[in-house]
Amino acid sequence: MISQFFILSSKGDPLIYKDFRGDSGGRDVAELFYRKLTGLPGDESPVVMVTSGGRRHHDGHHFIHIRHSGLYLVVTTSENVSPFSLLELLSRLATLLGDYCGSLGEGTISRNVALVYELLDEVLDYGYVQTTSTEMLRNFIQTEAVVSKPFSLFDLSSVGLFGAETQQSKVAPSSAASRPVLSSRSDQSQKNEVFLDVVERLSVLIASNGSLLKVDVQGEIRLKSFLPSGSEMRIGLTEEFCVGKSELRGYGPGIRVDEVSFHSSVNLDEFESHRILRLQPPQGELTVMRYQLSDDLPSPLPFRLFPSVQWDRGSGRLQVYLKLRCDLPSKSQALNVRLHLPLPRGVVSLSQELSSPEQKAELAEGALRWDLPRVQGGSQLSGLFQMDVPGPPGPPSHGLSTSASPLGLGPASLSFELPRHTCSGLQVRFLRLAFRPCGNANPHKWVRHLSHSDAYVIRI
Amino acid sequence: MPYLGSEDVVKEVKKALCNPHIQADRLRYRNVIQRVIRYMTQGLDVSGVFMEMVKASATVDIVQKKLVYLYMCTYAPLKPDLALLAINTLCKDCSDPNPMVRGLALRSMCSLRMSKLDQWGQAEVLNFLLRYQPRSEEELFDILNLLDSFLKSSSPGVVMGATKLFLILAKKFPHVQTDVLVRVKGPLLAACSSESRELCFVALCHVRQILHSLPGHFSSHYKKFFCSYSEPHYIKLQKVEVLCELVNDENVQQVLEELRGYCTDVSADFAQAAIFAIGGIARTYTDQCVQILTELLGLRQEHITTVVVQTFRDLVWLCPQCTEAVCQALPGCEENIQDSEGKQALIWLLGVHGERIPNAPYVLEDFVENVKSETFPAVKMELLTALLRLFLSRPAECQDVLGRLLYYCIEEEKDMAVRDRGLFYYRLLLVGIDEVKRILCSPKSDPTLGLLEDPAERPVNCWASDFNTLVPVYGKAHWATISKCQGAERCGPELPKTSSFAASGPLIPEENKERVQELPDSGALTLVPNRQLTADYFEKTWLSLKVAHQQVLPWRGEFHPDTLQMALQVVNIQTIAMSRAGSQPWKAYLSAQDDTGCLFLTELLLEPENSEMQISVKQNEARTETLNSFISVLETVIGTIEEIKS
């Protein structure tokens, strides 16, 4: 049960404020939230905070929030509620607002204040959830979204996906997918589009001797549909797709994942036999399937790093040679690759020799940042970095064991995107629509695959 | 029988059902319906004749009715719109004079599962179900079987709601609880690696909660709790705690290696948390951890050294077998410690185990040399004690330094506590060395008492009701302070409004009543109502028992015995006898009994000249925890009366 809901910008300005029960103070609660959040000691979690702000009518309430697209979505409640449900509701609200406003962001929210309030009115009644289905809500929502610039198909970029919050925020989401589900009635003809994305997040830990300590893949199949609701579609997955450790399919090694969960609207009649998902998606965004896979990857890891470190304690000279090999198939490539290597304290200078001109390396916040905008599969790149580290004060006495590398060096972490590549090997074979538009062109179908790094750590 | 596709069958059956001639002939009609049921059983989709079958339900033939209802219950989920039509007939049947028809209709209506709740509704209903108490074991397991599918929901809120319900319903079946926790492992781990940091954090808090009861539960998944570079601080700290708790023989090597990586993190706070975590693991895997900690000292970093030394201090106390290794690691540390906590820990170690550290007197001497510029009084106190202790084992090396330190502390020190400590030791030395030994080297507290150790594994039942609430997210201790503040907040300012209550009105404001009744729960104390003892029995018992607890509460001004008696009645404390109002001294005898049969006998004494009330409580079974809860109930009542009065 929710008392209030508000949206704050990243700077703490209230964009949306709605009180559902009138039992918990006024608007200044939003200000209190931001004050508490910024004043919180580093070791405390901001996810749930109590509202003891000094004034009595606030007390006994809890703030629960998520951060999404640079915004704070916050609810207050006075009950000891289920945190899982509330967080789920908040992320659902974020998706819903994204569906209706086109995309979620400070600009779109402030342009569509009326629409957001209308939505909140329908979703929550006296603090209880009525419905969060994009489809049901369509019947009640009258306001049309204000879109900043007209939509054009030519904006489609190959990597930007609607939902994937990749680490490189400089990749703008493609504007084709970021338009509202309820755009004006006039451009009906353009609306017949479906976006299907397979997005995988990869987290890897490699020991200093090169052995693989941990691989973890979190995958999602996301669908954003602009087709009329109720039009049936069938999604065919790789036939060798197996779930669990024991199942065997086909003759090859199979595409194996540990666990799968489906959205409740997915019909699995044909899943066992042909790996086909059948569903009648509502308009808007929907996570069709989630899966995870650990420890056992069918393909080689996308990157291997071969570091060598020379450390002369006496003169404080540190030389790091990094060789990065990309083990993707030669037709694929990795984009926006960035290597982040924490350095010992007090590093002063950096000189570099890089293997190709479009690379860039610099010191930032006590770490080395090596940017490689584009890495072709099968290629190998290297960088030689020399730094000066003034020694620690006091004589290096007592014959302490000087380790090969100085304190604070490493571990290296890589971030990257792999367009048209899934680490698990899962592919969408086909996307078929039963929908026949009356006298119009066939609907556009966009099927995209993408992997990106969550944490790709290599110990040195 | 010729082969027929399902469409042909449906067409043919439909025709037959619509045929008025067949409808008129009861037997033929029933036969057609039987055919439909047969096809249905064979797996043919005959949902196409739903409309016709609903019509067929309006009949007096009970057999036919039963067949039709069977059909409807099977296909209703597929044809929710048409099933609505059947409701009409079912409602009409519910008022049929024939009880058999009524029962049949009712049963069918209950099994029509048409409206599907969405995930929010499900979570809400699961929450409501917590209030239900199954009457028998059979019913309990029926419920659990019905709810099983919710554990597989794709919504974490529903899965956790169902898990909680399972844990609460199966409170008497630990194996069922463990089973459920095994099944919820997958969803929880998925949430722990979710893209949403907030969800990840909440899941981690719940993982820790489960680990308190089942330490090995996530041991094989330890890699899921490795921190990644980009995570926020609060998630990393939770993960380190989880790693600490799930460590076992198989994964200890890998976990320690991972934790060692964190010790050199750029964030000093995180590095220190990792070192403390290694210190925690050292209680079980001492040698490996002490080795890692010793290596960390070699890095000669202030923020690392201070925490390592503090960890060592705790460790030699808990695991005396590692003393030797720690003593060997200590020399040289003093150069890299600047903060108060670290200095205290080092000085303590040098004092207690100085006989094994060759240069201990000289390190302490350095501290004495710089004592004038020392800013922390606590360090000076520690230094005094350590030097005196070391003096006992290595007098020749310490005598001079100790003399200087005592002189400084007594003559020049401005902090009174340090001065007093110095004077005390000086006088103690005057009494004689044997007395010093007796005082300073008195037996150390026994580490096996487990005061600093983790509490033992707790049963699932003690946190089941907190599962899927904010309690694990805040942490139990933090939650307790929050709810305490709220309680105080609630009864504090509200009281003036009700201060002019009449004797017949509600004695304790609604909210206070709640609070009073909540209190017994917290201490696992439930007082039984209407347990009136006879005065004789009370007197006999009172005289035969010793006073278990005595305390005084502030009390001022006039007194209304009736008010007190009524207030006590509310919390099930009976008044046996009481002096008249205004008599001096004023006395009252109270009795109460909890659900385990334990008696609490109480005497209240109000002396005329004192402004306080003296309470003496006797108990027929010595049980401290319930005694404390009882006393807090009593305090609350008396405190409330006092507040109302003023």
Side-chain angles (χ1 to χ4, degrees):
Chain A
M1 191 189 65
I2 292 163
S3 298
Q4 290 151 311
F5 171 81
F6 46 91
I7 301 180
L8 300 187
S9 75
S10 54
K11 296 191 193 74
D13 306 320
L15 303 174
I16 296 289
Y17 168 88
K18 191 158 171 64
D19 195 331
F20 293 101
R21 302 176 66 84
D23 62 349
S24 48
R27 284 169 164 275
D28 46 345
V29 169
E31 194 192 309
L32 175 68
F33 166 79
Y34 194 70
R35 223 169 45 228
K36 290 204 74 125
L37 186 82
T38 44
L40 206 68
D43 53 345
E44 272 182 45
S45 125
V47 179
V48 177
M49 295 187 294
V50 72
T51 61
S52 51
R55 251 165 272 167
R56 206 183 324 121
H57 53 269
H58 292 159
D59 276 356
H61 282 67
H62 309 275
F63 288 121
I64 299 175
H65 85 278
I66 61 166
R67 248 201 113 165
H68 201 290
S69 318
L71 301 173
Y72 296 100
L73 279 77
V74 194
V75 292
T76 66
T77 175
S78 58
E79 288 192 355
N80 191 3
V81 290
S82 155
F84 288 99
S85 290
L86 264 194
L87 289 176
E88 212 179 332
L89 175 66
L90 285 173
S91 12
R92 179 63 203 148
L93 274 174
T95 317
L96 203 58
L97 295 177
D99 275 352
Y100 276 88
C101 302
S103 66
L104 193 57
E106 203 175 322
T108 42
I109 294 293
S110 38
R111 270 194 298 275
N112 291 295
V113 169
L115 172 62
V116 175
Y117 280 119
E118 199 183 355
L119 268 170
L120 286 176
D121 240 5
E122 300 297 340
V123 171
L124 287 153
D125 185 25
Y126 203 58
Y128 291 95
V129 183
Q130 298 302 304
T131 177
T132 55
S133 129
T134 306
E135 203 38 49
M136 298 269 271
L137 289 165
R138 273 168 69 87
N139 304 327
F140 311 118
I141 303 298
Q142 302 298 318
T143 319
E144 278 196 17
V146 183
V147 188
S148 57
K149 54 177 182 202
F151 153 71
S152 147
L153 258 184
F154 299 107
D155 289 347
L156 269 175
S157 74
S158 58
V159 280
L161 304 182
F162 53 84
E165 272 194 66
T166 50
Q167 276 148 9
Q168 281 80 9
S169 49
K170 58 186 173 188
V171 181
S174 84
S175 60
S178 65
R179 62 188 169 94
V181 283
L182 285 181
S183 53
S184 59
R185 273 66 170 165
S186 56
D187 59 347
Q188 282 289 347
S189 56
Q190 285 194 359
K191 281 180 65 181
N192 296 331
E193 279 187 316
V194 166
F195 296 83
L196 185 69
D197 290 349
V198 183
V199 184
E200 293 189 349
R201 286 185 300 138
L202 179 66
S203 51
V204 167
L205 179 63
I206 300 173
S208 48
N209 62 7
S211 67
L212 189 58
L213 293 178
K214 165 190 161 180
V215 194
D216 214 8
V217 177
Q218 306 281 333
E220 273 182 2
I221 299 185
R222 291 184 230 181
L223 179 79
K224 186 157 184 170
S225 162
F226 295 99
L227 301 178
S229 301
S231 46
E232 189 178 278
M233 60 177 73
R234 292 162 79 229
I235 303 169
L237 304 178
T238 322
E239 290 215 56
E240 295 82 30
F241 182 69
C242 351
V243 182
K245 296 265 182 252
S246 52
E247 195 184 2
L248 268 176
R249 275 187 108 82
Y251 303 103
I255 310 294
R256 189 176 299 280
V257 301
D258 295 340
E259 261 180 78
V260 180
S261 66
F262 299 96
H263 189 266
S264 54
S265 69
V266 177
N267 183 330
L268 294 172
D269 287 352
E270 290 178 74
F271 182 70
E272 271 311 309
S273 51
H274 296 105
R275 296 306 186 207
I276 293 173
L277 309 175
R278 229 175 54 209
L279 70 163
Q280 301 185 340
Q283 279 200 354
E285 201 180 319
L286 178 81
T287 302
V288 177
M289 174 174 133
R290 276 200 177 92
Y291 55 95
Q292 44 185 321
L293 154 69
S294 7
D295 292 333
D296 207 15
L297 220 55
S299 53
L301 285 173
F303 287 104
R304 300 235 80 149
L305 183 72
F306 304 94
S308 70
V309 179
Q310 282 178 355
W311 166 231
D312 181 1
R313 205 187 175 107
S315 66
R317 181 146 277 257
L318 174 66
Q319 182 177 310
V320 180
Y321 177 69
L322 299 175
K323 199 166 77 179
L324 185 70
R325 198 178 76 203
C326 179
D327 289 338
L328 291 172
S330 57
K331 277 181 190 158
S332 309
Q333 58 179 4
L335 297 180
N336 302 316
V337 181
R338 169 175 285 180
L339 185 135
H340 180 100
L341 179 69
L343 296 174
R345 273 187 200 182
V347 166
V348 277
S349 64
L350 171 75
S351 68
Q352 43 182 288
E353 283 171 41
L354 304 172
S355 60
S356 68
E358 81 264 17
Q359 302 172 25
K360 228 171 58 189
E362 57 185 351
L363 289 178
E365 294 161 9
L368 169 72
R369 215 167 66 192
W370 184 21
D371 284 321
L372 309 112
R374 203 170 278 266
V375 179
Q376 202 65 34
S379 67
Q380 191 161 297
L381 299 157
S382 62
L384 178 69
F385 307 95
Q386 288 190 327
M387 288 148 282
D388 282 317
V389 190
S397 60
H398 295 292
L400 292 161
S401 61
T402 37
S403 46
S405 53
L407 165 76
L409 180 70
S413 54
L414 275 172
S415 61
F416 50 82
E417 282 170 31
L418 311 174
R420 292 183 288 281
H421 180 86
T422 53
C423 295
S424 66
L426 177 67
Q427 301 277 329
V428 171
R429 270 188 298 147
F430 60 80
L431 169 62
R432 282 188 198 135
L433 309 174
F435 167 69
R436 284 279 163 270
C438 29
N440 214 322
N442 271 333
H444 293 285
K445 300 180 286 187
W446 307 94
V447 178
R448 303 176 288 190
H449 297 87
L450 173 91
S451 294
H452 65 100
S453 58
D454 183 29
Y456 198 95
V457 180
I458 303 138
R459 288 192 191 145
I460 290 192
Chain B
M1 194 174 127
Y3 173 81
L4 286 172
S6 120
E7 276 170 37
D8 295 336
V9 171
V10 172
K11 222 181 265 168
E12 191 208 316
V13 171
K14 201 174 201 161
K15 222 183 195 168
L17 283 170
C18 293
N19 188 340
H21 296 296
I22 295 179
Q23 280 179 4
D25 186 340
R26 228 164 84 176
L27 253 150
R28 276 178 73 194
Y29 200 22
R30 195 200 278 178
N31 272 337
V32 177
I33 288 167
Q34 264 172 351
R35 247 172 72 204
V36 173
I37 300 290
R38 198 163 54 236
Y39 291 141
M40 184 180 92
T41 328
Q42 283 165 356
L44 241 71
D45 183 8
V46 279
S47 61
V49 292
F50 200 91
M51 204 52 186
E52 288 71 26
M53 290 295 273
V54 171
K55 274 186 204 147
S57 67
T59 172
V60 282
D61 183 357
I62 289 195
V63 180
Q64 186 174 335
K65 240 190 217 313
K66 277 189 177 172
L67 290 173
V68 173
Y69 284 163
L70 179 67
Y71 172 91
M72 281 198 306
C73 292
T74 316
Y75 285 115
L78 292 178
K79 305 256 169 185
D81 306 340
L82 293 178
L84 277 178
L85 299 174
I87 300 280
N88 212 357
T89 322
L90 286 172
C91 284
K92 223 194 287 162
D93 283 354
C94 282
S95 47
D96 196 276
N98 186 342
M100 201 153 144
V101 174
R102 286 205 301 272
L104 193 60
L106 210 57
R107 203 184 62 198
S108 305
M109 200 145 39
C110 293
S111 48
L112 282 181
R113 286 190 215 105
M114 294 185 311
S115 70
K116 271 194 204 150
L117 284 168
D118 65 354
Q119 49 165 315
W120 316 111
Q122 289 171 5
E124 206 64 41
V125 169
L126 287 169
N127 195 27
F128 281 133
L129 281 176
L130 288 170
R131 301 182 195 172
Y132 184 72
Q133 281 269 343
R135 270 157 303 184
S136 68
E137 216 170 280
E138 207 175 319
E139 187 186 0
L140 167 77
F141 283 103
D142 279 350
I143 295 177
L144 294 187
N145 284 332
L146 271 176
L147 293 175
D148 201 75
S149 61
F150 293 101
L151 286 175
K152 294 178 201 138
S153 165
S154 66
S155 143
V158 173
V159 175
M160 298 306 156
T163 307
K164 177 176 185 172
L165 185 60
F166 268 66
L167 292 179
I168 300 253
L169 286 179
K171 56 174 176 275
K172 293 197 187 111
F173 305 92
H175 64 279
V176 176
Q177 288 181 326
T178 314
D179 227 43
V180 171
L181 291 174
V182 168
R183 293 188 52 191
V184 81
K185 216 191 280 193
L188 259 182
L189 284 172
C192 283
S193 38
S194 153
E195 227 171 332
S196 153
R197 286 164 174 182
E198 293 82 9
L199 185 63
C200 171
F201 176 76
V202 167
L204 284 170
C205 293
H206 281 80
V207 165
R208 283 187 65 191
Q209 185 79 80
I210 294 174
L211 282 174
H212 285 168
S213 300
L214 307 166
H217 201 62
F218 292 95
S219 291
S220 53
H221 301 278
Y222 64 96
K223 285 179 188 169
K224 295 257 178 194
F225 303 101
F226 284 0
C227 302
S228 79
Y229 170 76
S230 52
E231 277 166 341
H233 201 57
Y234 60 89
I235 289 196
K236 285 185 183 171
L237 290 179
Q238 285 294 327
K239 284 191 169 176
V240 166
E241 292 289 331
V242 170
L243 283 175
C244 229
E245 284 166 40
L246 56 67
V247 83
N248 67 7
D249 290 354
E250 272 107 65
N251 60 26
V252 63
Q253 206 56 46
Q254 289 85 337
V255 169
L256 282 177
E257 203 156 299
E258 180 72 14
L259 285 174
R260 181 166 51 182
Y262 304 158
C263 294
T264 51
D265 194 276
V266 270
S267 152
D269 288 340
F270 181 50
Q272 296 188 337
I275 297 169
F276 278 127
I278 295 179
I281 296 175
R283 292 172 196 182
T284 327
Y285 300 96
T286 313
D287 294 345
Q288 287 145 293
C289 295
V290 170
Q291 200 196 334
I292 292 177
L293 292 170
T294 310
E295 280 168 23
L296 289 174
L297 287 178
L299 298 171
R300 307 161 61 80
Q301 291 281 313
E302 259 175 40
H303 72 279
I304 294 180
T305 309
T306 172
V307 180
V308 171
V309 171
Q310 290 171 49
T311 312
F312 277 157
R313 174 196 53 197
D314 299 343
L315 213 53
V316 294
W317 191 80
L318 286 164
C319 314
Q321 74 274 16
C322 69
T323 311
E324 199 57 51
V326 167
C327 288
Q328 278 171 14
L330 281 182
C333 287
E334 67 278 2
E335 291 168 26
N336 298 307
I337 296 186
Q338 294 298 323
D339 66 317
S340 162
E341 283 292 322
K343 279 183 188 171
Q344 287 179 55
L346 178 66
I347 293 171
W348 184 87
L349 279 166
L350 291 172
V352 175
H353 298 291
E355 74 273 24
R356 306 196 210 184
I357 307 168
N359 70 338
Y362 310 106
V363 177
L364 289 180
E365 185 173 1
D366 281 346
F367 277 110
V368 174
E369 293 291 320
N370 299 320
V371 73
K372 273 185 195 161
S373 51
E374 178 60 62
T375 43
F376 307 109
V379 174
K380 295 180 195 171
M381 306 262 265
E382 201 64 60
L383 190 58
L384 269 168
T385 313
L387 204 53
L388 192 59
R389 271 194 185 133
L390 196 58
F391 171 68
L392 296 176
S393 56
R394 299 167 74 167
E397 293 156 292
C398 296
Q399 188 171 11
D400 179 49
V401 190
L402 180 62
R404 272 187 282 155
L405 180 64
L406 282 175
Y407 178 83
Y408 168 79
C409 289
I410 296 167
E411 297 294 329
E412 294 178 34
E413 176 60 43
K414 293 202 177 63
D415 189 280
M416 275 306 144
V418 179
R419 236 185 91 164
D420 279 356
R421 175 82 59 101
L423 274 170
F424 168 67
Y425 285 151
Y426 178 70
R427 288 170 190 150
L428 196 62
L429 282 166
L430 288 182
V431 175
I433 204 77
D434 292 335
E435 193 61 15
V436 177
K437 273 188 186 150
R438 200 177 65 77
I439 303 264
L440 276 186
C441 306
S442 51
K444 285 174 212 147
S445 40
D446 182 4
T448 52
L449 284 177
L451 277 177
L452 288 184
E453 298 258 30
D454 295 327
E457 287 166 30
R458 282 181 291 161
V460 173
N461 283 336
C462 60
W463 51 260
S465 57
D466 292 341
F467 196 82
N468 195 25
T469 68
L470 298 178
V471 181
V473 187
Y474 278 114
K476 193 128 191 166
H478 191 183
W479 178 258
T481 45
I482 292 170
S483 26
K484 208 169 172 184
C485 289
Q486 285 172 13
E489 227 16 273
R490 253 194 264 165
C491 75
E494 240 88 319
L495 272 172
K497 284 187 222 154
T498 49
S499 59
S500 59
F501 70 95
S504 59
L507 178 71
I508 296 182
E510 220 34 56
E511 302 200 65
N512 279 32
K513 211 188 261 173
E514 239 175 66
R515 185 168 161 238
V516 170
Q517 269 153 6
E518 265 161 33
L519 270 172
D521 292 335
S522 63
L525 172 83
T526 318
L527 295 179
V528 187
N530 301 325
R531 176 68 208 185
Q532 190 80 40
L533 300 185
T534 61
D536 283 348
Y537 180 76
F538 181 90
E539 192 181 353
K540 222 162 64 193
T541 323
W542 177 260
L543 291 176
S544 70
L545 292 173
K546 281 202 199 108
V547 176
H549 180 88
Q550 203 157 29
Q551 86 176 86
V552 286
L553 289 178
W555 190 269
R556 242 169 268 281
E558 293 168 45
F559 195 68
H560 301 285
D562 296 344
T563 318
L564 182 66
Q565 188 171 355
M566 277 179 66
L568 290 167
Q569 192 78 45
V570 171
V571 293
N572 296 332
I573 299 177
Q574 319 300 334
T575 312
I576 303 290
M578 196 184 262
S579 321
R580 259 176 293 126
S583 56
Q584 288 174 344
W586 181 88
K587 271 189 184 182
Y589 288 98
L590 318 171
S591 86
Q593 187 170 22
D594 74 3
D595 51 355
T596 63
C598 180
L599 271 179
F600 299 90
L601 308 181
T602 311
E603 181 196 54
L604 305 179
L605 176 64
L606 203 58
E607 294 279 359
E609 58 280 358
N610 295 345
S611 58
E612 51 197 22
M613 181 183 286
Q614 188 178 339
I615 304 174
S616 317
V617 182
K618 297 185 178 184
Q619 209 180 1
N620 69 346
E621 294 166 38
R623 292 224 310 265
T624 342
E625 37 338 319
T626 51
L627 179 65
N628 289 339
S629 328
F630 175 74
I631 287 162
S632 65
V633 172
L634 205 58
E635 268 175 36
T636 314
V637 175
I638 294 173
T640 312
I641 302 277
E642 169 86 355
E643 272 170 42
I644 295 171
K645 192 159 56 63
S646 57

